[in-house]
């Protein structure tokens, strides 16, 4: 266990924002976390659980205790006739779990290669990319209740997954620390190469009969070419969610903007890429002092070094405002603004 006071969070958020936490502790096991939660000095403090810090934007110092999940371990638990079950500690890096599964020839999360962040954070926003979502392979998670220190198990239903959503962002917000996640991976690989960019990249790679390894390689290639590496340029991936709008509104907008892309969600609604909306408003590649909008993907806000969180929030609101003005659509941040 590690315990610090007045501690810089700069290395612990991928935006690289330099703020401080009043207290900071890293726990490496469920027992260490339970022990921490019982300390009288900590019991009353506001708490923030950090994984990879890849989905937060700090705008001020955190006047409480930041708990960093350091619980490691990955194992194949057991298998039945159709599935193999894999469990990973909440503090594991998500992409390391992808690599573990590839090494064991287990398919199901290869499309989610290179998503930044930790295993414990993955269910909170039901991470997803290139046609796959965590919920499709999720079996259960274990989580420690911050008030009681009890360990509770949540199955797929109990997590109430949606697009970048779960019960942990709503009714149970801030109440639990996810200590392990168990995946249920289908033994017969079902590749998902429907996403246009994957298909094209596999063709460029001259792969005729792709394996899960090829799909992962293609996804890594696409992500590296489009998305900035947080180790080089501070960012938190998609800053906004792709908005879901009624088909009726889409039909009206399409008359004015014939190129407007959309993906069906249901009979009555479609999802519009926020990146497209933002680009249409002229923001793509915009640099303001030491921060801005990424040049290859307008959905990603970037800190070129030393930017303040408030400035990025200001930029986010300017973007929301201009998309609202031009299209009548209100973008919602995907990133947690603290
Ligand atoms: N587009 C533009 N300009 C841009 C960016 C996108 O016009 O600057 C349009 C293009 O039409 C493009 C379409 O948007 O074809 C889709 O873009 P992309 O494939 O990059 O995906 P996205 O919808 O912008 C979502 C996720 C990403 C995920 C990709 C791939 C959300 C909020 N974002 O982005 O997730 O990697 O799909 O599946 O759903 C993340 O959550 O941090 C993240 C990076």
């Amino acid at each position: 266990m590690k315990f610090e006071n007045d501690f810089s969070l700069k290395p612990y958020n991928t935006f690289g924002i330099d703020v401080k936490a009043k207290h900071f502790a890293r726990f490496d096991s469920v027992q260490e976390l339970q022990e921490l939660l019982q300390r009288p000095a900590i019991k009353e403090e506001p708490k923030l659980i950090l994984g990879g810090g890849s989905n937060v934007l700090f705008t001020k110092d955190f006047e409480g205790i930041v708990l960093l999940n350091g619980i490691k371990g990955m194992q194949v638990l057991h298998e039945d006739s159709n599935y193999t079950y894999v469990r990973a500690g909440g503090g594991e890096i998500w992409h390391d779990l992808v690599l573990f599964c590839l090494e064991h020839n287990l398919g199901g999360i290869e499309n989610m290669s290179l998503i930044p962040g930790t295993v414990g954070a993955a269910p909170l926003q039901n991470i997803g990319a290139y046609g796959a979502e965590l919920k499709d392979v999720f079996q259960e998670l274990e989580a420690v209740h911050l008030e009681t220190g009890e360990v509770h198990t949540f199955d797929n239903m109990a997590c109430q997954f949606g697009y970048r959503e779960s019960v942990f962002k709503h009714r149970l917000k801030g109440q639990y620390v996810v200590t392990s996640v168990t995946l249920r991976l289908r033994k017969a690989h079902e590749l998902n190469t429907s996403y246009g960019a994957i298909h094209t990249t596999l063709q460029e790679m001259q792969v005729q009969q792709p394996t899960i390894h090829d799909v992962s390689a293609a996804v890594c290639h696409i992500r590296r070419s489009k998305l900035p590496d947080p180790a080089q340029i501070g960012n938190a991936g998609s800053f906004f969610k792709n908005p879901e709008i009624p088909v009726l509104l889409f039909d009206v907008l399409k008359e004015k903007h014939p190129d407007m892309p959309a993906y069906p969600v249901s009979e009555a609604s479609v999802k519009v890429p926020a990146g497209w909306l933002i680009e249409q408003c002229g923001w793509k590649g915009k640099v303001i002092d030491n921060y801005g909008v990424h040049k290859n993907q307008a959905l990603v806000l970037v800190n070129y070094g030393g930017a303040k969180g408030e400035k990025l929030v200001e930029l986010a609101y300017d973007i929301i405002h201009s998309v609202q003005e031009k299209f009548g659509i209100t973008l919602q941040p995907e990133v947690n603004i603290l």
Side-chain angles (χ1 to χ4, degrees):
M1 190 193 304
K2 173 187 172 100
F3 196 95
E4 307 274 348
N5 293 314
D6 204 25
F7 187 74
S8 170
L9 296 175
K10 193 171 175 208
Y12 295 98
N13 70 99
T14 59
F15 254 123
I17 305 290
D18 197 5
V19 290
K20 283 184 173 164
K22 187 169 148 198
H23 308 293
F24 177 93
R26 195 192 73 209
F27 55 91
D28 297 320
S29 66
V30 170
Q31 291 71 22
E32 277 188 9
L33 171 61
Q34 288 168 326
E35 192 253 299
L36 264 169
L37 294 173
Q38 275 170 7
R39 291 190 193 178
I42 287 174
K43 245 185 153 32
E44 301 309 316
E45 293 283 355
K47 295 174 188 67
L48 172 68
I49 319 303
L50 264 193
S54 55
N55 209 38
V56 285
L57 174 57
F58 288 108
T59 58
K60 51 181 182 294
D61 290 344
F62 187 74
E63 297 297 334
I65 178 156
V66 168
L67 295 164
L68 185 74
N69 191 341
I71 300 177
K72 299 281 187 196
M74 294 188 274
Q75 61 188 128
V76 176
L77 282 184
H78 60 96
E79 51 186 274
D80 56 29
S81 44
N82 293 324
Y83 297 100
T84 304
Y85 297 80
V86 173
R87 182 166 63 200
E92 288 284 357
I93 301 294
W94 170 261
H95 186 65
D96 289 345
L97 176 58
V98 175
L99 295 178
F100 177 90
C101 290
L102 290 174
E103 269 163 32
H104 289 78
N105 201 31
L106 298 170
I109 58 173
E110 58 280 358
N111 291 44
M112 291 185 270
S113 295
L114 275 191
I115 293 186
T118 55
V119 167
L124 267 66
Q125 59 154 346
N126 179 29
I127 59 167
Y130 307 103
E133 276 182 301
L134 179 70
K135 73 171 172 53
D136 304 332
V137 291
F138 179 92
Q139 175 69 12
E140 64 177 33
L141 63 78
E142 281 186 343
V144 171
H145 191 251
L146 285 172
E147 285 280 315
T148 63
E150 285 170 13
V151 178
H152 295 161
T153 303
F154 292 80
D155 64 12
N156 201 313
M157 279 279 274
C159 291
Q160 297 177 17
F161 290 125
Y163 167 59
R164 299 294 196 273
E165 293 288 0
S166 76
V167 72
F168 303 103
K169 279 177 87 172
H170 296 281
R171 189 167 57 78
L172 301 180
K173 190 174 171 146
Q175 294 188 31
Y176 281 95
V177 180
V178 177
T179 49
S180 78
V181 171
T182 302
L183 303 181
R184 186 179 80 146
L185 303 169
R186 198 176 277 281
K187 280 186 166 171
H189 296 169
E190 280 185 350
L191 297 187
N192 182 346
T193 57
S194 56
Y195 205 90
I198 295 194
H199 192 72
T200 319
T201 308
L202 286 171
Q203 275 183 340
E204 280 165 16
M205 289 162 59
Q206 298 188 335
V207 175
Q208 310 293 343
Q209 287 188 316
T211 64
I212 54 173
H213 300 268
D214 297 320
V215 173
S216 173
V219 169
C220 290
H221 176 80
I222 300 163
R223 289 191 76 100
R224 288 197 175 109
S225 65
K226 257 190 153 176
L227 298 167
D229 176 359
Q232 269 138 35
I233 303 175
N235 77 91
S238 302
F239 195 91
F240 302 98
K241 293 206 275 187
N242 285 334
E244 201 175 310
I245 62 168
V247 172
L248 291 175
L249 173 60
F250 178 66
D251 289 343
V252 172
L253 288 168
K254 187 94 180 160
E255 281 185 18
K256 217 169 151 197
H257 311 278
D259 301 339
M260 189 169 184
Y263 315 103
V265 176
S266 66
E267 296 244 308
S269 60
V270 296
K271 218 184 267 174
V272 180
W276 186 87
L277 297 169
I278 298 167
E279 182 173 348
Q280 296 303 306
C281 293
W283 289 103
K284 193 170 181 173
K286 185 124 185 145
V287 181
I288 309 155
D289 300 331
N290 47 2
Y291 61 99
V293 179
H294 190 57
K295 63 178 185 342
N296 296 336
Q297 167 52 291
L299 196 47
V300 178
L301 304 191
V302 288
N303 170 13
Y304 290 106
K308 295 265 180 233
E310 303 95 292
K311 288 287 169 192
L312 283 150
V313 173
E314 254 173 46
L315 171 61
Y317 280 98
D318 286 346
I319 290 172
I320 290 173
H321 186 73
S322 58
V323 169
Q324 174 71 51
E325 289 250 294
K326 193 172 168 87
F327 297 102
I329 296 174
T330 309
L331 294 182
Q332 309 280 354
E334 190 210 89
V335 166
N336 262 320
I337 299 170
L338 291 172

